Amino acid sequence: MTSSLNLSGRVAVVTGASRGIGYFLAKELAAAGAHVVAVARTIGGLEELDDEIKAEKAISGKGEATLVPLDLADGAGVDRLGGAIHERWGKLDILVANAGVLGVISPLGHVEAKVFEKVMAVNVTATWRLIRSVDPLLRLSDAGRAIVLSSGAAHSAKAFWGPYAASKAAVEAMVRSWADETKNLPLRINAVNPGATRTAMRAQAVPGEDPQILPHPSEIARKIAPLASPALTETGLIFDAPSERFLRYRLPE
Ligand code: NAP
């Protein structure tokens, strides 16, 4: 699918690009020709990504990365990121808000306050702050695209998944509001449920599971990357990666 995706000349921010789904999404977008602004705290993971993108460019001539080591809980840092992108490119074409934390799998009554607050700070507040920082830049693109990682947990809200499920439900509500605010613009904004994927977060959530039964994050990234296409028409929906379908929300009665 990605082979037909052409993102030449387009600038993409990918958060959580140091490992897991974000790492492979950054690689996919770069392989399609984008300049990827790769954000995470772990410099080693970002450097490995940069090496892979450079190696791919040596073969295909496509893709580039700028590394931004940043803790997304640093709100002022997130604000500065938008300013720096504006100064360098004067626009942003693609936002992949992928960084997230699980917190803990535990009965709600046993969750420590600092763990709950961290889940909300990274998954919800930092996502909002990032949206606020780059919304004006996406409006300056001829086809701004936002891909915001959610989870099936937002809807299944299973026992012991409370903090994470609540954070992802909040993320999806923001996506819907933001998509509604921008529906008459060229911007297209969607949430994504990647489904269970072979990453560090999944291993933390379900430690007894054999990771080999799960799809590799590169496989999931290949399904999600086309949401960055200027040709995309959908907005305000959830893209369900396992079924490769857009799910519609129930309209209010
Ligand atoms: P992962 O392997 O744990 O990677 C998480 C990424 O987020 C890392 O790159 C991490 O980078 C970054 N991150 C976390 N806290 C950060 C912070 N404070 N500042 C900056 N970056 C931060 O997770 P994943 O499984 O790939 O998950 C990616 C997204 O998919 C998440 O939003 C997750 O909720 C969602 N999701 C995953 C699954 C699954 O089965 N894997 C299922 C449903 C939804 P650093 O640690 O280097 O900062």
Side-chain angles (χ1 to χ4, degrees), residues 41 99-103 118-120 122-123 164 167-168 201 204:
R41 293 165 303 177
V101 292
L102 176 73
K118 172 90 186 284
V119 172
M120 293 300 152
V122 175
N123 295 4
Y164 180 76
S167 75
K168 292 300 189 180
M201 182 187 288
Q204 185 197 346

Side-chain angles (χ1 to χ4, degrees), residues 29-185:
L29 300 186
H35 188 124
V36 174
V37 178
V39 183
R41 293 165 303 177
T42 309
I43 294 169
L46 292 177
E47 286 178 344
E48 201 178 304
L49 172 71
D50 192 36
D51 287 348
E52 287 210 52
I53 289 176
K54 283 195 175 115
E56 173 69 27
K57 188 178 184 182
I59 299 164
S60 68
K62 290 200 285 188
E64 228 167 327
T66 294
L67 308 185
V68 181
L70 175 69
D71 184 340
L72 289 160
D74 168 9
V78 173
D79 295 347
R80 282 196 300 275
L81 175 64
I85 292 167
H86 186 253
E87 222 165 89
R88 181 157 172 196
W89 290 286
K91 61 151 190 182
L92 178 66
D93 301 297
I94 301 156
L95 168 67
V96 181
N98 161 84
V101 292
L102 176 73
V104 68
I105 300 293
S106 164
L108 270 174
H110 296 187
V111 177
E112 282 182 57
K114 68 171 194 291
V115 172
F116 187 87
E117 281 159 12
K118 172 90 186 284
V119 172
M120 293 300 152
V122 175
N123 295 4
V124 184
T125 309
T127 300
W128 158 73
R129 191 110 179 197
L130 186 62
I131 289 170
R132 191 178 74 152
S133 182
V134 304
D135 167 84
L137 302 174
L138 285 166
R139 288 171 190 252
L140 291 169
S141 169
D142 59 344
R145 301 286 174 262
I147 300 168
V148 183
L149 272 286
S150 182
S151 166
H155 304 270
S156 59
K158 281 193 271 193
F160 316 131
W161 286 70
Y164 180 76
S167 75
K168 292 300 189 180
V171 161
E172 287 193 8
M174 281 197 291
V175 164
R176 294 168 69 192
S177 287
W178 190 26
D180 200 37
E181 289 165 18
T182 55
K183 65 180 178 224
N184 297 322
L185 302 176

